[in-house]
Amino acid sequence: MTQILRPLRARDPHEAHRASTQLELFFDLVIVIAIAALTAGLHHAISDGHGPEMLPNFLFLFLALWWAWMNYTWFSSAFDNDDPLTRFLTLVIMAGALIFAGGIGFIFKTLDFSFGIIGWVVMRIGMVGLWLRVARDAPVYRKTALRYVVGISVAQALWVIFYFTTTPGSTAFFAFGLLIFLVEWSVPVWGEKALRTPFHRHHMIERYGLLTIIVLGEVLLSIALAFGLLFEGKLDLAVVTIALAGLVTVFALWWIYFAEVQHLTSDGFWRTFLWGYGHLFLFASVSMMGAGLAAMFDVVTDHAKATEAQVGWFIGAPMAVALLTLWAVRDRFMQLGARRLALPAGAAAVFIATALQAHPAVFAALSVGILIWRVPFSAPAPHETKGQHS
């Protein structure tokens, strides 16, 4: 008779053909909903001329969404037996995330977490439950698991104190919030020092690639909405031009990101830490580009208070940050010859174009140029890398 509840033990980090599970993909749907709502909020803020002042709200909430995704994603790469209890605890995490996601629009405008804090508590109950199973079922990782339990619990207690003691949007609010995020980010560092969990490198590369596709999807959504105007009989050359420019840009970014199969070439702790945490800047930047592009359509159709120059900063600057981030977490560790300079040089060119108030078509042209420079269009030999065991 098959055992219903199986021990939750470490998975083989060298398991062949390891792919994302249906449960992980189901979990990602919550992140899709939340990021879409947050991007929409920023889009409207940019259009109304309040983009700069609402940017801290966007970044604060994006950090929270990304961290919720990070906690579960890295855990499931190391420990996932797909038994009913693991599924149930994952669904609990998803339920909490949905409570939080449902209030993203409200929280973005007010920074009043209200029921959002309840969603976070529910998420933590699920995560603590999963780590307690590891502590019981995998004795060799017991110390690591209990460190995660303590760290997650302390961080959540701090968030509850934060909610009841700070005024939304105040200096103390952001200062205390940043302090708690630092506590959150230090938990994996502390936990992994006891004994590193055996994450599957190729599995994590796939998981990060999927989240990259999700944030690129926010840009595609903005473009699709612009093309939707054509069906309303509004054939506006300016809209079509910007939509095509945005499409070329997002296609190029996709191609550049997925030009390398081996995104993470080392399983060394600090290399993994840089790659895993550094992607935050890429994810947030691409999502911001989606909001900026949607706001640009509002500008050219006379539905915005902001100017084209103001909105342009929310397209070009995030694009430059995304390119620079990808270089910092991936390209600088690869032997690429002259192609190694493509992304930082491209980021500089995009930033200069932004400062000069360039049209989105210029960003499209630059993205194609960066793509041609960076991507080998013939099958290259496998890359040798620096810091293979750093």
Side-chain angles (χ1 to χ4, degrees):
M1 180 177 175
T2 304
Q3 188 176 5
I4 295 177
L5 296 181
R6 299 181 296 277
L8 186 57
R9 294 176 181 146
R11 295 191 65 162
D12 179 4
H14 304 293
E15 179 183 344
H17 309 297
R18 176 74 186 276
S20 298
T21 66
Q22 286 85 355
L23 186 59
E24 288 175 314
L25 298 176
F26 193 32
F27 176 85
D28 284 353
L29 284 179
V30 178
I31 303 302
V32 172
I33 294 168
I35 291 179
L38 182 57
T39 303
L42 182 61
H43 155 211
H44 295 301
I46 296 170
S47 292
D48 290 339
H50 302 300
E53 63 193 76
M54 296 301 286
L55 187 57
N57 299 31
F58 171 83
L59 294 175
F60 193 91
L61 286 174
F62 199 96
L63 278 171
L65 295 176
W66 166 77
W67 191 243
W69 178 85
M70 282 275 287
N71 272 260
Y72 176 73
T73 297
W74 284 87
F75 176 91
S76 63
S77 185
F79 306 96
D80 182 5
N81 63 1
D82 200 35
D83 73 354
L85 185 53
T86 297
R87 289 188 173 193
F88 173 76
L89 290 172
T90 299
L91 296 175
V92 168
I93 297 169
M94 289 176 61
L98 273 175
I99 294 172
F100 185 73
I104 283 291
F106 173 80
I107 299 171
F108 175 75
K109 293 177 182 177
T110 65
L111 289 179
D112 179 0
F113 281 81
S114 298
F115 293 101
I117 200 73
I118 297 175
W120 269 87
V121 170
V122 173
M123 279 192 286
R124 298 315 179 99
I125 290 172
M127 279 307 310
V128 166
L130 288 171
W131 280 114
L132 285 174
R133 289 197 69 192
V134 173
R136 184 195 65 182
D137 297 342
V140 68
Y141 292 103
R142 179 178 175 81
K143 186 175 181 180
T144 297
L146 291 179
R147 284 190 176 189
Y148 273 100
V149 169
V150 172
I152 291 171
S153 300
V154 168
Q156 184 54 52
L158 289 173
W159 283 120
V160 174
I161 295 171
F162 162 86
Y163 174 72
F164 287 106
T165 59
T166 61
T167 302
S170 65
T171 301
F173 176 93
F174 286 109
F176 193 8
L178 180 58
L179 177 63
I180 302 174
F181 274 126
L182 291 176
V183 172
E184 293 271 16
W185 301 334
S186 67
V187 171
V189 177
W190 179 51
E192 299 292 319
K193 283 189 177 298
L195 180 64
R196 288 191 65 190
T197 52
F199 74 93
H200 193 289
R201 188 164 56 89
H202 296 291
H203 175 241
M204 290 309 300
I205 291 171
E206 181 190 18
R207 298 295 291 130
Y208 272 67
L210 290 171
L211 188 55
T212 299
I213 289 173
I214 287 172
V215 293
L216 287 172
E218 295 304 318
V219 184
L220 291 175
L221 178 59
S222 298
I223 296 167
L225 293 175
F227 282 137
L229 297 174
L230 300 178
F231 295 85
E232 300 175 10
K234 301 174 182 177
L235 183 57
D236 189 318
L237 184 58
V239 171
V240 173
T241 301
I242 294 173
L244 291 175
L247 197 60
V248 170
T249 302
V250 73
F251 285 170
L253 290 176
W254 171 86
W255 202 327
I256 291 167
Y257 184 89
F258 290 101
E260 299 293 338
V261 175
Q262 297 294 343
H263 255 250
L264 178 60
T265 53
S266 167
D267 59 3
F269 180 81
W270 291 112
R271 274 282 289 111
T272 303
F273 181 86
L274 173 66
W275 183 84
Y277 281 56
H279 263 77
L280 164 66
F281 298 96
L282 185 146
F283 296 146
S285 296
V286 175
S287 182
M288 198 183 302
M289 282 181 63
L293 196 60
M296 187 62 78
F297 292 126
D298 291 341
V299 171
V300 298
T301 55
D302 297 321
H303 290 94
K305 296 177 182 178
T307 66
E308 187 172 334
Q310 291 171 331
V311 174
W313 279 101
F314 285 90
I315 300 174
M319 181 179 171
V321 171
L323 291 169
L324 199 57
T325 299
L326 189 55
W327 172 82
V329 302
R330 185 191 72 183
D331 279 15
R332 72 188 183 96
F333 296 100
M334 293 183 160
Q335 298 296 337
L336 299 169
R339 290 190 290 115
R340 192 177 175 195
L341 300 175
L343 299 192
V350 169
F351 189 83
I352 292 171
T354 305
L356 295 175
Q357 301 180 16
H359 188 273
V362 175
F363 298 138
L366 287 172
S367 69
V368 172
I370 297 166
L371 171 66
I372 293 171
W373 183 358
R374 171 57 183 83
V375 178
F377 290 96
S378 59
H383 297 304
E384 296 294 331
T385 58
K386 296 195 308 180
Q388 189 72 17
H389 303 288
S390 59

